[in-house]
Amino acid sequence: RLKLMEQAEFTPDEIEKLTEAKEKSDELTTTEFAAMRLIESGGHDLEARRNKALKILFGDSYHQAKAAIMKPIGEFNVEADSRTEEAVLATERTAVIWRTVFVVFGLWLAYMLWRSYGVLRVATAGRVHDAAIASSITAIAIAGLDGKISYVNPAFVRLWRLQGPQDAIGRSPLEFWDKPEEAQAVIGTLQQQGHWQGEMVARLSNDTLADIQLSAHMVVDDKGRPLSMMATFIDITARKQAERELHASNVLLNSLFANMPVMAFLKRASDLRLERFNHAAEQLTGYSEQEMVGKSDRDMFPPEQAEFYIATDREVLARHQLIDVPQEPVTTRSGEIRQLHTRKIGIYDADGNPTHLLGICLDITERIRTDEILQRYKQVIEYAREGYLMLDAKGNLIEANQAYAN
């Protein structure tokens, strides 16, 4: 039994307590056997023996011996309970330690997985980023802080008509522009401000020039320290050429409009306010283009004339046809009334909506006056008493009055 108790990890002190209790129990058992033998022995003094046996079993000595047995048992129980409680607490502490270890390990494992995922994601994103730059139709170049090109994509090679990236890598960006001093100024601005955007003229490998839209910025790390310079390039040569041709065409048209020998004006279709007023119109009316632009006919002319002009303007825009007004009056700044022969036509967008109205006016005031003089002259000749005739250069009769005929 002691071996079993030792195997059960009872302490020597606990075993000693149980051993002491067993010894005292054995002593008490001997006393109990002695009392039983008194009762079982024969003889005439049975009653006396019985009383003596009861005194032995229920006397103070018996109870003291019994208490002496329970004392080490009680101490054993206290020590065993204390040891068990300590073992339970130790087990709980061990469990807490292991739980903490598992939690910390789990967190570490999760962190390592997250970090591995981040590295994988960065690596994947980097590959995607590199592929995107390489396959971009926009020319891209990267230069180090030493001012030397370290990378160009295929679009850059095509734009500058190079044989390959090796024709650009290691060279200065200044070599690729028609005016290197302008490129140097751009690099200076880029280093100071971190970005630059604008237009420059590039000199290609075949010594031709190209208009380039350039957008550049500094590449920095997470602490804002510069790492390199990166730029994108878009060939806008065709667009710039179209803009130049359009500008030249506009200059020509504006010059033609401004210097036409007859009065010309251009109105917005939306509100019939003037946008252009040429030099001949300025001379005829006495109003400058600056005064007329943005004004309506109601702002500049007498009500009757203004309403007539507006009515014909609206008719032109509604009918989508040229309208010829053989004669209409206009009051000049000085108050003189001039007579105009006017033609108006609408200008429409691709959907057929009117955008402007163009008017061209010929001053026929002098012609009308001449016609009136000639008419009066004809009347005088017709009713004159003397005969009158008119011959051409060959002497043929052109006209004669009644008196000559008679």
Side-chain angles (χ1 to χ4, degrees), residues 9 29 80-81 88 98 127 144 150-151 157 165 195 197 231 252 283 292 299 344-345 347 363 371:
E9 297 184 351
T29 300
D81 289 344
V88 170
W98 278 109
R127 289 195 295 270
S150 59
Y151 172 84
V157 173
H195 59 87
Q197 185 172 0
L252 177 61
Q283 293 173 358
M292 296 296 289
D299 297 326
K344 297 180 178 180
I345 188 170
I347 300 174
D363 186 358
D371 289 343

Side-chain angles (χ1 to χ4, degrees), residues 139-142 149-177 202-208 210 212 233 235:
I140 299 174
I142 299 175
I149 295 175
S150 59
Y151 172 84
V152 294
N153 71 343
F156 184 95
V157 173
R158 292 192 297 270
L159 176 56
W160 261 270
R161 313 291 194 270
L162 304 176
Q163 295 298 318
Q166 68 277 2
D167 291 345
I169 293 175
R171 296 173 59 186
S172 169
L174 305 181
E175 301 177 35
F176 294 85
W177 301 102
R203 183 169 293 278
L204 308 183
S205 63
N206 57 7
D207 211 35
T208 59
I212 302 295
F233 313 87
D235 186 355

Side-chain angles (χ1 to χ4, degrees), residues 1-11 15 83:
R1 290 178 182 175
L2 290 176
K3 290 182 179 181
L4 291 176
M5 293 176 70
E6 289 175 354
Q7 292 174 0
E9 297 184 351
F10 283 90
T11 65
I15 294 175
R83 180 176 56 79

Side-chain angles (χ1 to χ4, degrees), residues 3 78 91 96-98 102 114 121 129 137-138 205 214 222 261 271 291 337 349 390 395:
K3 290 182 179 181
V78 171
T91 302
V96 170
I97 292 172
W98 278 109
F102 286 140
W114 174 82
R121 182 179 61 183
H129 181 265
I137 62 174
T138 301
S205 63
L214 168 63
D222 53 359
D271 56 8
E291 292 177 289
I337 297 177
D349 62 18
M390 183 179 296

Side-chain angles (χ1 to χ4, degrees), residues 186 189-190 195-200 213-217 232 234:
V186 169
T189 301
L190 180 62
H195 59 87
W196 189 89
Q197 185 172 0
E199 298 177 1
M200 296 182 64
Q213 180 175 318
L214 168 63
S215 179
H217 66 276
T232 59
I234 300 175

Side-chain angles (χ1 to χ4, degrees), residues 267-341:
K267 294 181 180 179
R268 289 194 298 263
S270 59
D271 56 8
L272 297 178
R273 292 184 177 274
L274 282 162
E275 283 193 357
R276 295 297 306 274
F277 205 61
N278 75 342
H279 297 325
E282 291 178 324
Q283 293 173 358
L284 191 150
T285 63
Y287 296 108
S288 68
E289 183 178 39
Q290 185 177 2
E291 292 177 289
M292 296 296 289
V293 169
K295 300 291 181 59
S296 71
D297 292 329
R298 293 190 178 99
D299 297 326
M300 305 304 297
F301 302 109
E304 184 176 350
Q305 292 179 9
E307 295 305 321
F308 178 79
Y309 300 155
I310 292 171
T312 56
D313 291 347
R314 289 174 176 167
E315 183 181 358
V316 169
L317 298 175
R319 291 172 57 181
H320 287 234
Q321 292 180 356
L322 181 146
I323 285 185
D324 190 313
V325 183
Q327 184 177 340
E328 62 180 1
V330 61
T331 302
T332 68
R333 170 174 241 144
S334 64
E336 180 185 6
I337 297 177
R338 308 288 292 183
Q339 298 298 323
L340 306 177
H341 180 188

Side-chain angles (χ1 to χ4, degrees), residues 83-101:
R83 180 176 56 79
T84 302
E85 183 178 359
E86 181 63 27
V88 170
L89 292 175
T91 302
E92 289 180 350
R93 287 193 295 270
T94 302
V96 170
I97 292 172
W98 278 109
R99 279 198 299 269
T100 303
V101 170

